Amino acid sequence: MKYDVKVDLKNREEEYSFSEVAKQANGAAWLRSGDTVLLATVVIDETEVVKDDFLPLTVQYIEKTYAAGKIPGGFFKRETKPSDFETLTSRIVDRSLRPLFPKGFGHPTQITILALSVDKEADLQVLALNAASAALFVSDIAINTSVSAIRAVKIDGALVLNPTLSQLGDATLDLFLSGSKEDLLMIEMRSIGSNQVDTDFIIDPLLDPTLSAPLMTKHVSNAVAEDELVSILEKAQELLFENNTKYESSFAPFQKEANEIEYKVHVVNEDMVAYVRTHHFEDIKAAMNQMAKSERSTALRALRKKILLKQEHWDEVTLKDAIEKVKRIQVRSQILNERVRADGRALNEIRPISISTNVLPKAHASCLFTRGQTQALVVLTLGGPKDAQMFEMLTDDGVQNENFMVHYNFPGFSVGEASPITGVKRRELGHGNLAKRALEPIVDFEGRTIRLVSEILESNGSSSMATVCGGYMALRAAEIETCDVVAGIAMGMVSEGDKYAILSDIMGLEDHDGDLDFKVTGSKSGITAMQMDIKLGGISLAVLKEALYQAKEGRAHIIDIMIEAEKAIELNDGVLPSSDFFHINPSFIGDIIGQAGKTIREIIEKFEVAIDIDKKDGKVKVTGKSKSGVKAAREHIEGIVNTPKTPKIEYKVGDIHKGTVKKIVDFGAFIELPDGTDGLAHISKISEQRVEKVSDVLKEGQEVKVEVLEFKGNKISLGIV
């Protein structure tokens, strides 16, 4: 392969070829970085123009299993539906490149990125965006701006830019950014895991008092403070400028001559706009106060019919555009000039919130979270390790297990649309992933699998953030310990020139007519996840910092309401599986297990529980279908541990003792000695005469005299006297 360009970046080198392959496409870029090779292509339909005010862009990131020397698993030995990672990567590329297209571009456009060769250290999301941007830059579409991606992580408190996948595994912060030389366009952020922090010494009565008292620990999430995040963004933005400067100067000689492309000329009839503003301004204000999308649409439709009765020669579609423009002007001017929103709220005011927990009696846990006209029913199901979702990344050596899942569903009825419920869409997958990233750092899974399902029952903005809040409450309604309280809030912004207004808890109208969609989740102390899409081409870090602190204020308000709602939780005791964790002195483990596991099996069967014991540390985990069963099993185990033992006898070869036949086997009999120690009397040592069958000579429970013959490790060999 002949490479046209080599670009040296921080911690990485990229090579590009623009003329060797996929020559029928409008633009193509073959990218190699290390042993990773991606092919990105751009194709536009020059004959069809979509008339709606929408960019018909489709992005597909596709991984080929041969890229890692693998054959697809399962019955079908070819790639089938896209994985979650492929879908989420496609969304990242789409959201980053969509702002580049000129206004009025209506040609259906397909961007395809194929992962053809992959090494285990490659950051495929960063490379996918860089390759797609390069293909778009050199294509015959008149786009002369490069967009690239940077991943910034924190490892042991230090900032690392463009890390390898191995480094990412040790990170406590994962920040993905995309932007041009001038503008930051998209941010995806998550904090990873939690730290274990030492607290006070305590004494557990079940532990041997001669041992050192155990040091208690608690988990603290790696939430990121707002100031620290802005500082990292500042450094990343400097690198974005540097990288995109290199890309644009290197790629410029390979740009194709731009095609003459028909743009949609969307002209609004200004006479209609003037008429609507003069005669029906109050009607539009009244329609805007119908905050649900369906109600607002009905009110505006009625207004159009009313106007057309007087202006019969007017076209309804043109009139609809005029009304939409007046509505947009009114929404934005009222926010900027009067500092009041369409529903009468202040800029930082949160809509009314109500929370009901365990509304589903047969589910393990549930929460109905309502904020304004957005409502999420979040349902939790607990499982064991075997219930985890198996998945395999292209860069993995084997299969991984995902033991925390958040599934988000957005049916049409939630916005008053008559549409069938079909398969999971990209948006649903993305919103579920955002909620998962928000909640995962605060949960200690303790060998469990947790599935949260969010059913959006009503939506007027912020349904993904309602999922985060409802998800946290569902965790608490299942009595799952969390190291912090996490809530989510959607922020927006309206700007004209130097004037701007930041909005907390935006509704659908403000999302549609605003300039920023900014979702941030976290605790009162910091951020656990964030997603930002900027519609106006960029945002200053000073404004972003202001938005982050306004979001923190809104989160604190929501968290206080959630904490109060926790006090009213009533567990689904008859349905909710329970678990308990405690320690015992490891020397008692043999007593709990019993001869050949007899004692522990009896506990499991009697109390309908599962028991997991760490023989080295004495950690005991008891899980069961009911809290009462788990509690009774723990008390039974504690009873065994607290029962005084007969002092152990120091046995010597030749000693004679009385014992009890505990169990008869083909090769002999197990004899329980006075202090509970077991020894084996081999069939050859039971009688001076040859014995064919042990049960002909001995019976279980029979008292016998035995002589200690020898020691084999911890085993005692006995003979019947």
Side-chain angles (χ1 to χ4, degrees), residues 54-79:
F54 175 73
L55 172 64
L57 171 65
T58 303
V59 176
Q60 285 183 289
Y61 165 77
I62 301 169
E63 294 182 339
K64 300 296 184 179
T65 56
Y66 57 68
K70 300 179 181 180
I71 294 175
F75 185 78
F76 296 101
K77 296 302 177 184
R78 68 178 301 159
E79 290 80 5

Side-chain angles (χ1 to χ4, degrees), residues 377-419:
L377 174 65
V378 186
V379 187
L380 179 144
T381 308
L382 283 172
K386 293 181 180 178
D387 295 307
Q389 171 69 61
M390 295 174 61
F391 69 98
E392 184 177 6
M393 304 287 285
L394 197 60
T395 51
D396 289 342
D397 290 325
V399 174
Q400 295 189 55
N401 290 315
E402 181 182 17
N403 60 355
F404 183 55
M405 296 164 273
V406 181
H407 297 151
Y408 168 100
N409 298 315
F410 192 88
F413 66 73
S414 66
V415 288
E417 293 179 354
S419 59

Side-chain angles (χ1 to χ4, degrees), residues 4 20 25 212 240 276 330 339 342 464 477 506 511 520 549 557 577 584 654 662 677:
D4 302 308
E20 294 287 306
S212 299
L240 280 173
V276 171
Q330 169 56 22
R339 316 301 281 182
S464 63
I506 60 173
D511 186 9
V520 56
Y549 274 98
H557 169 78
I584 63 168
K662 195 169 184 180
T677 302

Side-chain angles (χ1 to χ4, degrees), residues 551-566:
K552 183 176 184 178
E553 174 190 303
R555 284 200 318 275
H557 169 78
I558 298 165
I559 286 171
D560 286 339
I561 296 173
M562 291 165 60
I563 291 172
E564 194 63 29
E566 279 192 56

